[in-house]
Amino acid sequence: YLPSNAPRGQENRAAVTRPLVYWHSAASWSNLELLRYAEAVANGAPNIQLDQRRITNAIRMMNWFENILAFFGSPQLNIQGLFSPEADTGIQRIASGGVFGSSTTEADRELLTREVKLILRQTEQELIPDTIMLGTETWLYVNDKRYGDATADSNQTVLEAAEATLRKFGIKDILWTPEVGWSEAQENRLKAHGLPDAAAEKFAGGIGGNQDMVVMKRDASVLEMVVAKNRVMYPARETVNDRVEARMIQGGGGKVTYRPQGIKTVTNVGPDPPRTDNTRQGHHP
């Protein structure tokens, strides 16, 4: 890593080849469908713009796949994600030592600040973290759980009690990031779309089906997403047997980590959501 003020003539440049993957998506509809919806709209139905809605859904699926690469990578393609094995990324994984809600709310507050302090001690001012990412269950807990006991009559949540300290430490954003924590609903949706059980559980969030937390300096000097091709719509829509298809393509390569010291993944922070599948209750190893 060279500082940004390094003279151009002194920069050492070398070509770097990274594995890339491209993915397609398409939205389709028939002219008959459009005619039927137009007739329904003329009779008072809401105008849902069927063609645009299906294009939007196709784009959403492409963005989801980009997120999957960014977080989970692809071992088969040698593409790394944020949650790829520590040996590959260098990003330290730290056991939480206790999940949210298992002890006092002060312990909850300290769980939010602990790894921020760890990065500050290890790197001092060079890699001051500015972002915390929380999965859905954790996000809901810290924004809903009141700080203190019942007699304290506190109006602060756990997150609000930690925010003043976190701001002093340099944290600017505390983000709700669904990919950081496992979701049974998401796992079931992926299975319904035909993904094998193991892949559905992996892509449903977190590491090993747990609720995790990421503390990091969100900066291109620390890590970047690899973009092979921004999403592009094909120049023309194809019509075959009265069915119209709008196609699009996008490409990426997961993410590349330059300075793993600026990122910490805290594993199994909880709280653990109830699981309807009783054979899988409890934490994953």
Side-chain angles (χ1 to χ4, degrees), residues 65 77 91 117 144 166 178 198 230 239 257 260 275 284-285:
F65 187 74
L77 299 173
I91 297 173
K117 292 186 289 186
D144 182 63
L166 291 172
N230 289 320
T239 303
T257 306
R275 298 176 187 257
H284 287 240

Side-chain angles (χ1 to χ4, degrees), residues 161-180:
E163 279 181 322
T165 300
L166 291 172
R167 282 196 299 270
K168 291 178 181 178
F169 290 166
I171 296 296
K172 298 176 182 177
D173 295 309
I174 302 171
L175 304 178
W176 173 19
T177 312
E179 290 84 359
V180 175

